[in-house]
Amino acid sequence: MSEARATPNSLPRPPGEYEALERAWRKPAGWRALTAVNNTRIGRLYLATAFGFFLFAGALALAMRLQLAVPGNDFLAPGTYNQFFTMHGTVMMFLFAIPMVEAIAVFLLPGMLGARDLPFPRLSAYAYWAYAFGGAGFIATLAFGLAPDGGWFMYPPLTGKEYSPGLNADFWLLGIGFIEISAIAGAIELIIGILFTRTPGMTPARIPVFAWSMLVVAAMVVFAFPPLIAGTALLELERAYDWPFFIPARGGDPVLWQHLFWFFGHPEVYIIFLPAAGMVSSMLPALVQTPLVARRAVIVSLAAVGTLSFALWMHHMFTAGLGQLETSLVSAASMAIAVPTAVQVFAWIATLWRGRVQLNAPTLFILGFLLVFVLGGLTGVMVAAVPFDWQAHDSYFIVAHLHYVLVGGLVFPMFAAAYFWMPLFKGHRMSEPWARWVFGLVFGGTNVAFFPMHISGLLGMPRRVYSYGTEMGWTGLNMASTVGALLLAGGAALFLIDLVRTLRRPQRAHGNPWRASSLEWLPQDEYATRSQPEVRSAEPLWRQPLLEQEVETGMHWLPGSVTGRRETLVTGWRDARPRHLLVLPGDSWLPFLCAFGTAAFFLLLTLQLAIAAWLFGALAIATLVAWLWAADRPPAAAQALVAEGVAVPIGAQGRASHSWWATWVLVVVDVAIFASLAFTLVHLSMKLEVCPPPGAHLPDRPWPWLQASLLTASSVLAWWSGRRPLQWWPILAAATCLLGAFAADLGAHRHAGLAPSGDAWSASVAALLCYEGLHASVLAPAAIYLAARGKLRAASRATLDNTILLWHCAVAQALAGLALLYWL
């Protein structure tokens, strides 16, 4: 079909067209509420869970501050303090900050984009339940004395088996693994949703700034999380199998962990800040009733901050013995990133100046955000100077800087967002008088708690100490910080009471209390709006005053349910014109059961209960197969009428399919993990005087040629299986060649005497070999699954197309690994 350019419906639609829409989106009741997959339900669960983890981490912080209030205190034992310290940092960074920004996006973005839902609802549900189960298991370790105690950064050798012999560190690696899965799944959902499920007319120039910020953040997650995945896998291999990646006596290097961790860790700060910046840019125009000043410059600055953040990971390693050139370049980049950040700050100030400022609750917290975050940014420029960082590193000055950036950059915007978007839940605003008390306690508590830490750090107080002597002169400063923490906790408690009180009020229409310009303030239900609006500007509710009535009477796109199922429009990423109708999956137990099986598998495996672990692993695989089997169901019709005189295809394949592009995002994640493992091999090789080290050998030359031939044949056969109606033998032959290549690689290295526990170089080679085997172990069952499907129709072959794409990626990585190994 040619590109759809017709106008939406010009006449109101009859009420009968909405009956199928309401049936398709009817919310489940009772226990079936656990099966909900649409963004409204999953977003609320995400928000509640992330806020619960925030309160838990805050309680741990309060206990630590009570311990440090006076010298020589015994409120917490040293081991307990280390567990609290590790749990506080881990929960705040991994279970609160990143999930909270993704939760806000899952809840708000479909409404902002004018879509019925995000494109992979069951993936969102799986990501949430994996996060919830993983986080709950991680929190439970504290009750059993198994909580990690090596710091939220988990530096080796402290977290190696020699100094952390129990399961504590393993539970940290388990918990972070779930957050990695959840964050990447959420990033794929957000990237495809923002690019391809915007309402017609919402061209890139009209995308809300918050959506732009989440697009940048989702792309950052795709590149930042793989090094952490690789690092946690390597540390777990060292702990479980004695592969010495980080043990210097056997050729390892603890600094390798710092590289992998901080390549994730420093971009993570901006992964947290950029969504908050997007929220502020979206709230501020409504609060002061004027468009955002320099909107395009703000969007460009978001992308610039996201890009520059990847050049700063060694910002945390100035004292680790890096070269002068490296530290100079990173120091310059650390200062340069202040420029695009300042563009956003000045745009907000200019918007406030041009508009009519009213000191309501969201505005107060935005002003607090500007003050606190800018102060944190100024101290960030200070620690970007290498000589100053040498003096302040690992002192409480860094603790103060970190909290000013994170509390100012996320917590204040989060409170502002809660007061601003609260009517979307049940139609009620939170109390303005209470909000002033909350703001006073939170703003005052933040500054009283963390500003004195700058001074105590400059006076020599180191991080991560559970006690100190009177003679150090830090008593008054620590007591002030404890009082500030109590004030901050009081503000959070008052906010929680008002939140619960507001949510208990009866449901009513939310209206548009702030007279905002964005689409989420249109009348919403489980299915979002009655019809998907046609957008003609960046401020649609201001520029199209009749839009609300037109959408409610069905005068725009997709007025009802065409197929009797859940649907949304897929539009072009550049012109935002309808391309095809996407039929969305409905509520199901499959994401819940798959996440539960995955969580139980890793948890029981950590507890060394292998039989029970594999039983739950089988549950996860069975539910995943059922999930995929239903996804390849062909549509009931070829086309659907989505407006007067406008018919579009139902579903798509190949490059027109949203799932094909999502697979490309997954390929980027996969390649980034491989690159991290390759970096490990190169880093450890460059530390050697002779490579391979004495006692280690590479397989003879005929072996790599055999492996390369089998890999190439596997890729060709997989390609051939996608060129024709699916036959069972080409895809199974491709799997046989892939398994044969891995078996040849493994056999050749074993014959050459590869001993991963002997030295770090051999362990890094074995890690690449394991990653090749992981691909083979996933793709071979996928080939059996595809063969079992039989001949696939053109309209129901998404799994085949996506599997072939992953197949080529796996083969390319295996060939690159061979080339790298023999080149080194």
Side-chain angles (χ1 to χ4, degrees), residues 242-578:
D242 195 32
W243 292 12
F245 299 101
F246 310 109
I247 301 176
R250 287 189 276 166
D253 185 11
V255 176
L256 170 63
W257 170 266
Q258 294 191 41
H259 281 295
L260 294 173
F261 183 85
W262 287 117
F263 193 82
F264 150 81
H266 201 87
E268 186 197 20
V269 173
Y270 297 97
I271 289 172
I272 295 168
F273 162 68
L274 290 181
M279 288 189 291
V280 170
S281 296
S282 297
M283 289 184 285
L284 207 53
L287 294 171
V288 299
Q289 291 295 291
T290 189
L292 180 69
V293 173
R295 183 178 187 274
R296 185 170 297 179
V298 169
I299 293 170
V300 172
S301 70
L302 291 171
V305 170
T307 303
L308 282 172
S309 68
F310 286 95
L312 308 185
W313 84 92
M314 287 185 287
H315 174 98
H316 296 264
M317 300 169 61
F318 286 160
T319 62
L322 303 176
Q324 184 175 355
L325 176 62
E326 292 91 333
T327 54
S328 299
L329 291 175
V330 174
S331 177
S334 301
M335 296 181 182
I337 204 170
V339 176
T341 305
V343 169
Q344 299 172 61
V345 172
F346 283 116
W348 297 326
I349 294 173
T351 304
L352 286 166
W353 182 269
R354 192 168 72 176
R356 293 180 289 111
V357 179
Q358 298 180 4
L359 293 182
N360 49 39
T363 304
L364 283 172
F365 276 99
I366 288 174
L367 294 174
F369 150 75
L370 288 171
L371 292 170
V372 175
F373 180 76
V374 167
L375 183 55
L378 291 174
T379 56
V381 174
M382 293 171 67
V383 298
V386 178
F388 182 86
D389 185 81
W390 284 346
Q391 304 302 316
H393 189 76
D394 272 347
S395 74
Y396 254 77
F397 188 93
I398 304 299
V399 177
H401 161 68
L402 175 68
H403 284 84
Y404 263 87
V405 170
L406 294 181
V407 174
L410 176 60
V411 176
F412 276 85
M414 180 189 74
F415 279 115
Y419 284 105
F420 184 81
W421 280 296
M422 182 55 62
L424 294 181
F425 284 84
K426 281 196 169 183
H428 301 278
R429 291 171 56 175
M430 296 176 69
S431 168
E432 283 289 334
W434 285 43
R436 284 167 169 72
W437 280 99
V438 172
F439 173 77
L441 289 170
V442 171
F443 183 78
T446 297
N447 287 283
V448 173
F450 301 119
F451 191 84
M453 293 181 184
H454 294 98
I455 304 171
S456 59
L458 293 176
L459 292 177
M461 184 173 179
R463 304 170 71 175
R464 309 162 201 141
V465 293
Y466 84 102
S467 187
Y468 56 94
T470 308
E471 69 280 0
M472 304 305 297
W474 308 327
T475 305
L477 294 168
N478 276 290
M479 178 58 74
S481 293
T482 301
V483 171
L486 291 169
L487 292 174
L488 186 55
L494 194 61
F495 172 83
L496 179 62
I497 295 169
D498 191 25
L499 176 67
V500 172
R501 187 177 65 89
T502 304
L503 292 176
R504 292 186 64 183
R505 299 175 70 180
Q507 183 81 42
R508 71 177 186 184
H510 57 69
N512 189 357
W514 308 106
R515 290 181 293 169
S517 64
S518 47
L519 295 178
E520 76 272 18
W521 294 103
L522 289 171
Q524 303 276 337
D525 208 318
E526 294 292 317
Y527 45 76
T529 54
R530 286 285 193 180
S531 56
Q532 291 191 233
E534 173 82 15
V535 170
R536 301 191 184 97
S537 71
E539 293 92 17
L541 296 189
W542 287 351
R543 309 302 180 194
Q544 298 168 250
L546 299 179
L547 186 61
E548 178 180 337
Q549 293 87 340
E550 293 172 358
V551 166
E552 272 293 275
T553 52
M555 295 175 62
H556 286 253
W557 298 93
L558 201 58
S561 177
V562 181
T563 64
R565 299 170 61 189
R566 299 180 180 184
E567 305 156 344
T568 195
L569 285 173
V570 172
T571 55
W573 71 271
R574 282 187 298 184
D575 59 5
R577 304 313 304 169

Side-chain angles (χ1 to χ4, degrees), residues 785-806:
Y785 166 84
L786 289 170
R789 288 300 314 241
K791 295 182 180 180
L792 294 176
R793 302 183 189 179
S796 60
R797 50 178 288 163
T799 304
L800 173 63
D801 292 337
N802 300 340
T803 301
I804 291 172
L805 186 56
L806 291 172

Side-chain angles (χ1 to χ4, degrees), residues 567-635:
E567 305 156 344
T568 195
L569 285 173
V570 172
T571 55
W573 71 271
R574 282 187 298 184
D575 59 5
R577 304 313 304 169
R579 291 291 191 267
H580 66 268
L581 183 70
L582 173 61
V583 179
L584 299 167
D587 298 328
S588 172
W589 284 103
L590 293 176
F592 178 88
L593 293 175
C594 191
F596 181 74
T598 306
F601 171 76
F602 284 106
L603 178 63
L604 293 171
L605 209 59
T606 304
L607 294 172
Q608 301 176 1
L609 300 173
I611 296 177
W614 284 106
L615 288 175
F616 280 100
L619 171 66
I621 293 172
T623 52
L624 180 60
V625 169
W627 183 347
L628 291 174
W629 197 278
D632 273 331
R633 183 168 29 182

Side-chain angles (χ1 to χ4, degrees), residues 747-810:
H749 279 289
R750 291 188 65 181
H751 185 265
L754 182 70
S757 60
D759 62 88
W761 182 87
S762 299
S764 64
V765 173
L768 281 174
L769 188 60
C770 286
Y771 200 55
E772 179 186 349
L774 176 64
H775 285 94
S777 66
V778 171
L779 291 174
I784 297 173
Y785 166 84
L786 289 170
R789 288 300 314 241
K791 295 182 180 180
L792 294 176
R793 302 183 189 179
S796 60
R797 50 178 288 163
T799 304
L800 173 63
D801 292 337
N802 300 340
T803 301
I804 291 172
L805 186 56
L806 291 172
W807 207 294
H808 295 327
C809 171

